[in-house]
Amino acid sequence: MGDVHLIVQRKAGTGKTTIATFLADYLIQRQRPGGSLLVLDTDTAHASLSRFPGLQARLVAPAELTDVLVPHRGDAVIDGGPEAHAAIMDHLRDDQTLPRLAQAGHALTVHCVVVGGGAQDDSLANLLDSIRTLPPSIRLIVWLNDYFGEIVSPTGQPFDKMRVYAEHHHRLFGLVTLRARHNTMFGRALQDMLKEGMTFTEAVPSPEFFIMERQRLVMMQREIAGLLDLVLLPNDL
């Protein structure tokens, strides 16, 4: 029994793996009694989550997901690789997938990543495809990743003023905004943490980071946890 969190985006390099580590770190801190966190990676080409040994990610093919999840007791985080995207979506649309997960006591949340910059249109198209084709029983959370640029319409409107949001906001369970930090000391601390294959919880007490770096990581961890509390705590934890 537990909540299954799947991060999807068919385009590579949008921050899916980073978001997976944020989610995993958050859920470990709020783990239910008697449960354990299962971390799965469907990116067989790159196995990105294997760079984070503390998460003990297991590499699986999309067709295996339900069989792996059903016997698990606790929450799960799944990093959906770009090459596996189509197979994952087909698996979710299968008539047997959701009933089997529900029977095992699992609720599914799909986290869709939207980015700014040159990949914005493609990431928005991927979100729209998820909204239109996934069953309404699947909760959708949108992560707005500003790392590559601000997410705005051609007329300068933010995401919550765009047509896709106006027409489909009733299908969205929540929004999480990742502020761009790459040109700041906060961003450098975050990049160093990810480069070392650590989560916030692992990096904050680590002597590999200076005191001020650890403090910046603590502040970012609290900010992200606060955003996730807003979309997950009232219903899940």
Side-chain angles (χ1 to χ4, degrees):
M1 299 176 63
D3 296 305
V4 178
H5 298 270
L6 168 65
I7 303 96
V8 298
Q9 173 51 252
R10 64 191 173 206
K11 187 172 181 60
T14 56
K16 290 188 306 301
T17 298
T18 298
I19 290 170
T21 66
F22 290 166
L23 269 172
D25 187 60
Y26 172 85
L27 293 171
I28 288 171
Q29 298 307 308
R30 287 156 175 76
Q31 199 163 275
R32 294 180 177 90
S36 61
L37 181 68
L38 177 66
V39 180
L40 303 175
D41 189 354
T42 64
D43 189 354
T44 55
H46 303 99
S48 302
L49 278 179
S50 65
R51 297 189 296 104
F52 298 84
L55 297 180
Q56 298 181 322
R58 175 176 171 182
L59 196 63
V60 298
E64 300 178 88
L65 285 174
T66 301
D67 290 337
V68 172
L69 290 168
V70 164
H72 176 66
R73 294 184 61 82
D75 297 329
V77 172
I78 306 166
D79 185 7
E83 293 84 357
H85 180 79
I88 290 173
M89 298 299 281
D90 287 343
H91 189 66
L92 295 181
R93 297 178 190 119
D94 186 285
D95 291 341
Q96 301 302 313
T97 298
L98 294 183
R100 286 189 64 194
L101 290 176
Q103 190 174 26
H106 295 304
L108 178 61
T109 299
V110 171
H111 299 255
C112 301
V113 185
V114 174
V115 297
Q120 177 174 302
D121 289 348
D122 190 58
S123 65
L124 286 170
N126 182 70
L127 169 62
L128 190 57
D129 179 66
S130 298
I131 292 171
R132 289 174 172 170
T133 63
L134 291 179
S137 58
I138 294 179
R139 298 175 300 188
L140 298 177
I141 291 178
V142 177
W143 288 71
L144 303 172
N145 185 0
D146 286 343
Y147 183 86
F148 302 100
E150 191 177 3
I151 300 167
V152 293
S153 72
T155 58
Q157 296 297 311
F159 176 79
D160 61 359
K161 302 296 182 183
M162 291 183 185
R163 181 175 178 179
V164 62
Y165 182 81
E167 293 182 352
H168 302 286
H169 64 88
H170 60 284
R171 282 283 282 118
L172 304 182
F173 196 70
L175 303 176
V176 179
T177 299
L178 293 180
R179 294 188 290 130
R181 300 181 183 271
H182 48 290
N183 291 323
T184 69
M185 289 185 288
F186 283 87
R188 286 192 285 274
L190 179 60
Q191 289 174 353
D192 289 344
M193 181 189 83
L194 297 174
K195 184 178 179 180
E196 293 297 324
M198 292 182 176
T199 63
F200 286 117
T201 300
E202 292 170 320
V204 166
S206 172
E208 295 185 31
F209 295 90
F210 295 117
I211 292 175
M212 290 307 299
E213 289 178 314
R214 296 201 296 267
Q215 183 59 33
R216 293 181 187 108
L217 293 174
V218 167
M219 293 172 68
M220 285 186 282
Q221 182 183 30
R222 288 175 179 170
E223 178 181 326
I224 292 169
L227 294 171
L228 288 172
D229 283 345
L230 291 174
V231 296
L232 295 180
L233 273 181
N235 297 277
D236 293 345
L237 304 173

